[in-house]
Amino acid sequence: MGAKTYEMLTLLSRAVARIPPDTSNKTVAESAKTLLQKCLSQFSRQQQIHAQQAARYLSGHDDSISSHKTVALMSSIAIAYVKDKYLSPETNDASSESVFQNGEDIEQPRLRISTNREGELVETNQLHHYLYRSDALSHMSFYEFGRCVELQPKSQSRRIKHTHETRLSHPLHATHELLEHTNESRGDVARELVPRIVGTSIPRSTHKRVWALFMLAHFKPFSCDTPLFAENDIPEEMLEAFKFSDASLIVMKNWEAVHECEDERDADRLRKQTQRTAASSVRDKNTQKGPLMPNGPGDEGDEIQDILNQCSRAGREEFAINQAILLYREAKWLSSESNLAQNADNLTPA
């Protein structure tokens, strides 16, 4: 829980007060370092965390709590490869790139540095492992490969079953193997992982070309020998013609559901903004024409009541306060004493 402004000022004053008198000939830089250390010590003492957060830190975990373990899926590298390999420059325009980068929180890819037996650096990533996988894994899509397979050194996977050789053209063929750690048909689900998209955002289905390219790259198997589609094929037609698995269709549906949640969030923000604007316009109207009773007769009162029903609680409270002030002014309750005395003199007994 972060400290408030007045708390920060109090902490700073305490830190300055605890600095002993300087009897040595310290430089300005050394004195500034001492002051910063005292301030940091005060902030550390003030920082408060709840018990669950402290328990997670002591256990070596971070702040987030997820229902499943996740694995990074280098989607940005796969999309860049597919666009460069299969799309012509005429269809590969800048607008599609803006669609892929349209997201609030895009996790940036992390590339791993690998070396061969000679100790030389080699360029390799998850897409290389997928493209140069063995024929036994040729049925896997890029999404399934990232969920079920990982690359390990041969020395670590020597006693483990279900390992597969990479192709000879793979940069790490001599030192690494592919480990298939998850396979539902065999019952190997101990390491069930959920892939998370890295380096790009998931496009919306309304962008037909980009959506088709993204879905085909993730759920249609391809390799260095098996192309994703032919040169003259249209991605939208290939998407309609290809028969996706039930698991792939579920993932695609979930991705669309995420966009629907984001749309609903944006719509709710717009709706709240509209309600605040409507309440503000009603207050301005009442200030000019005097108080209006929400439950009074006429269409105007009904319109105000409809707006009040749509406004938030804070908006209704503010509206009620303004209405009360206008009523008091109408009744001369907020007039000065001289005006009240003058009005009292003008009153005649009934």
Side-chain angles (χ1 to χ4, degrees), residues 177-238:
E177 285 181 328
L178 296 174
L179 170 63
E180 187 181 5
H181 54 77
T182 301
N183 190 312
E184 286 81 0
S185 61
R186 295 196 309 259
D188 297 336
V189 292
R191 291 186 57 189
E192 186 175 5
L193 303 174
V194 177
R196 65 181 189 274
I197 305 301
V198 174
T200 184
S201 60
I202 302 173
R204 299 173 181 266
S205 59
T206 53
H207 302 92
K208 301 297 184 181
R209 172 61 60 88
V210 179
W211 170 263
L213 191 67
F214 194 88
M215 297 304 121
L216 290 173
H218 283 79
F219 299 113
K220 184 179 184 297
F222 65 98
S223 65
C224 57
D225 296 333
T226 305
L228 183 62
F229 48 81
E231 182 178 356
N232 297 326
D233 289 339
I234 301 176
E236 294 91 324
E237 296 179 355
M238 290 293 300

Side-chain angles (χ1 to χ4, degrees), residues 80-94:
Y81 170 82
V82 171
K83 291 172 64 177
D84 182 68
K85 183 81 173 177
Y86 300 107
L87 292 185
S88 60
E90 291 77 11
T91 57
N92 190 8
D93 54 4

Side-chain angles (χ1 to χ4, degrees), residues 278-303:
S280 177
S281 63
V282 170
R283 289 194 298 270
D284 295 341
K285 186 176 181 180
N286 291 339
T287 303
Q288 297 175 0
K289 295 186 177 181
L292 294 174
M293 299 302 295
N295 295 326
D299 298 336
E300 197 170 26
D302 296 337
E303 180 182 359

Side-chain angles (χ1 to χ4, degrees), residues 10-202:
T10 303
L11 293 175
L12 291 175
S13 62
R14 290 177 182 176
V16 174
R18 291 188 179 185
I19 297 179
D22 189 8
T23 58
S24 61
N25 295 326
K26 286 186 177 181
T27 62
V28 177
E30 292 175 347
S31 301
K33 289 181 180 179
T34 303
L35 178 60
L36 290 176
Q37 290 176 354
K38 292 293 183 180
C39 294
L40 181 60
S41 176
Q42 289 292 333
F43 286 134
S44 300
R45 293 176 185 177
Q46 181 66 21
Q47 187 68 23
Q48 300 176 358
I49 59 176
H50 54 76
Q52 293 179 345
Q53 192 175 7
R56 287 190 61 82
Y57 290 159
L58 295 175
S59 302
H61 303 293
D62 54 11
D63 294 322
S64 60
I65 301 177
S66 58
S67 59
H68 295 77
K69 292 184 177 181
T70 62
V71 60
L73 192 65
M74 301 300 175
S75 300
S76 60
I77 300 177
I79 293 299
Y81 170 82
V82 171
K83 291 172 64 177
D84 182 68
K85 183 81 173 177
Y86 300 107
L87 292 185
S88 60
E90 291 77 11
T91 57
N92 190 8
D93 54 4
S95 60
S96 61
E97 187 67 25
S98 62
V99 173
F100 283 118
Q101 299 301 324
N102 184 17
E104 295 182 357
D105 300 315
I106 297 179
E107 181 180 355
Q108 298 302 318
R110 298 179 181 179
L111 300 182
R112 186 175 181 179
I113 299 177
S114 303
T115 58
N116 55 18
R117 289 182 175 178
E118 289 75 20
E120 299 174 347
L121 295 177
V122 293
E123 182 184 359
T124 181
N125 52 56
Q126 190 181 42
L127 181 63
H128 291 152
H129 312 333
Y130 177 71
L131 292 175
Y132 299 103
R133 66 192 185 278
S134 65
D135 293 336
L137 303 176
S138 60
H139 64 283
M140 280 189 172
S141 64
F142 181 63
Y143 184 90
E144 287 297 315
F145 181 86
R147 187 177 71 90
C148 302
V149 180
E150 66 179 3
L151 188 74
Q152 282 193 352
K154 290 185 177 181
S155 60
Q156 297 182 10
S157 59
R158 203 172 275 176
R159 297 182 180 179
I160 303 177
K161 297 181 180 179
H162 311 300
T163 57
H164 304 273
E165 291 277 349
T166 59
R167 296 178 183 269
L168 293 175
S169 52
H170 191 281
L172 300 176
H173 171 75
T175 58
H176 289 70
E177 285 181 328
L178 296 174
L179 170 63
E180 187 181 5
H181 54 77
T182 301
N183 190 312
E184 286 81 0
S185 61
R186 295 196 309 259
D188 297 336
V189 292
R191 291 186 57 189
E192 186 175 5
L193 303 174
V194 177
R196 65 181 189 274
I197 305 301
V198 174
T200 184
S201 60
I202 302 173

